[in-house]
Amino acid sequence: MPTKGKQYDNESISSLKGADRVRKRPGVIFGSDGLDGCQHAVFEIMSNAIDEAREGHGELIIVTRFADHSIQVEDFGRGCPVDWNEKEGRYNWELVFCELYAGGKYDAEGENYEYSLGLNGLGSCATQYASEYFDATIYRDGFEYKLHFEKGENVGGLQKTPTDRKKTGSIFRWKPDLEVFTDINIPAAYYADVMKRQAVVNAGVTFRFRDEVDGKFATQDFRYENGIIDYVTELAGEKSLTAPVFWQTERRGRDREDKPEYKVKLSVSFCFSNTVQIIEHYHNSSWLEHGGSPEKAMRSAFVSAIDGYLRAQGKYQKNESKITFNDIQDALVLVSNNFSTQTSYENQTKKAINNKFVQDAMAEFLRAQLEVYFIENPFDAEKIAEQVLVNKRSRESAEKARLNIKKKLSGTVDIANRVQKFVDCRTKDTERRELYIVEGDSALGSVKLSRDAEFQGIMPVRGKILNCLKADFGKIFKSEIITDLMKVLGCGVEVQNKHVKDLAAFDLMNLRWNKIVICTDADVDGYQIRTLILTMLYRLVPTLIERGYVYIAESPLYEITYKEKTWFAYTDKEKNDIVNGELKGKKCTINRSKGLGENEPDMMWLTTMNPETRRLIKVMPEDAELTSQIFDLLLGDNLQGRKDHIADNGYKYLELADIS
């Protein structure tokens, strides 16, 4: 009979209030409770200074990184209003620093900020809530205003004194709270990268970075007088195929007929190069790391325009296939910097937008401009066309050769489509690729939601795979589960047998992965499946184990919770050490960890897949012969030998037994 849990009734529903809305769920606001989230909190404060500068208020923004991990952002804008707000019946500082979804960017006419980087009214308040302390000093209207917050709570109210300082502006200094973020040591490289990017898309604004090292401040300025065209010129260097161009326009439209109309300002600079390839998109000054609408528009426009030019000029050979964007991308240096009065970000971290009108307007604008450009610059158009065709034909030749070799080695052309339920990753760099071998559809779904799709692939095995030590090769190579896995690995098998038909001879150079991670539940069934997979790998591709490519992902056995903090224990001994050590005498909750298929994606990523926090055991036998003997003994037909081994060695594992 299951034990009754805590009663779930009308009194069970509660909501987070005040600072807890951010402090207990930072990932919702900042995208992560780790270093990424902490960095995003910095960018939220910088965003307000950037919006002021872009509106023409201040040409200098100073960001200081202190040795104690505190941060300061200073601007010379109009100064954030913090005094009494008659209309709201409250102080403005309460709205700005203590109220989510409040600020000066909600006015219907857009009088304060036409194109704003910070639209949601979250940044100042959320960062303040997530800080150990947060100090604001503001100069405006002939006064100096000071505010001090500790862990989301104001201390001392608003301090207002007259000042002789002529320059207006805001100074914010805060220290991210380790109770909110798991890591607050933001590297100097992050600041330098972000400030350089902001200088690129905010022409004529100086971004000054001050870094405290050994009690002294190293200073670095970033400024691009003409914005993105200066940046493209810098990126391309002196050996570009074509000179950088800059195009700009404004359009009005709507994402849907029933949606309100808004304004878009489009700016693009690009050139072609046979040595450099860089494409970056920005929207309202935010770098769109994952692109979205402008990326789709740019791809569509360039393929359409260049394909049209090639056809018009008769550049294609007979029956030659159409160019793809990959052929263009290999020679393109492009930066777009767009603004809109309404923006639909994919999430609060602003790494992609999905505005349909932005995409349509940009695609149409670029197509039209490129057609005119090709007519007005025939010499450059000829060079672009020739370079794109060289890229295309080189790619096709390389792909044809690769497929011929791949077909010869593995007997298959398209692994991703031919192997059932195999989920590939994006990168082709075998030094980064990781293959997670999991059991069944449930674990596949959980791992798929949890993984980093850039470098982590997934191969599910269905049910109990054949015990490779008991089965003969005829049965082994009739098993689709086994042959599919071997095809996904790509390196062939170390078996010479008449039953090996569709698999090539072993060649380590053809291994498609840097890590092969066996990921099963931390229970008896999981251990059995793990052992069977290891046995199979050892018999068919032992070199992968000997060379250290095979790993086991340790799943936690217990989750131990005390006051909103969770510890993970991977063995009973670890559980006892935590309970009797750090938590001795404290009333904590101990739960068995869920199976892989039941885990939340965030938890799965944290415990099993994140290279920073996961536990991997490298399967690296020191003596292959001894390993073979143990495998044979434990899984082979020598029943008496197995009994003797357990009788002689079983005592060593008693402490791991669950006798509770």
Side-chain angles (χ1 to χ4, degrees), residues 21-22 90 97 108 120 130 168 199 232 282 368 371 376 396-397 407 430 432 489 529 569 656:
R21 290 173 291 177
V22 174
R90 299 171 66 185
F97 298 110
N120 294 333
T168 57
V232 167
Y282 297 82
E371 288 175 8
E376 294 181 346
E396 289 174 342
S397 295
K407 187 173 182 180
T430 54
R432 298 181 59 212
L489 293 178
I529 294 162
L656 299 178

Side-chain angles (χ1 to χ4, degrees), residues 13 20 34 46 48 64 67 86 96 136 155 219 243 324 327 335 342 391 397 400 430 450 468 521 563 575 616 644:
I13 307 300
D20 282 348
M46 287 179 59
N48 295 324
T64 305
E86 196 65 45
V96 172
V155 178
T219 302
T324 68
D327 308 320
V335 179
Q342 288 186 26
N391 293 345
S397 295
K400 186 177 180 180
T430 54
S450 310
C468 283
D521 288 336
K563 288 188 176 180
K575 177 195 73 173
L616 294 185
D644 292 342

Side-chain angles (χ1 to χ4, degrees), residues 194-206:
V194 168
M195 295 175 77
K196 180 176 181 177
R197 291 185 186 281
Q198 290 307 312
V200 166
V201 294
N202 292 283
V205 177
T206 298

Side-chain angles (χ1 to χ4, degrees), residues 406 410 415 430 433 487-490 510-514:
K406 188 176 179 182
S410 65
I415 293 297
T430 54
R433 288 164 62 88
K487 288 175 183 177
V488 169
L489 293 178
N510 293 319
L511 180 65
R512 298 185 178 97
W513 310 92
N514 185 51

Side-chain angles (χ1 to χ4, degrees), residues 452-465:
D452 187 326
E454 173 64 22
F455 65 94
Q456 291 175 328
I458 317 167
M459 179 61 191
V461 293
R462 302 175 299 282
K464 300 288 192 300
I465 64 173

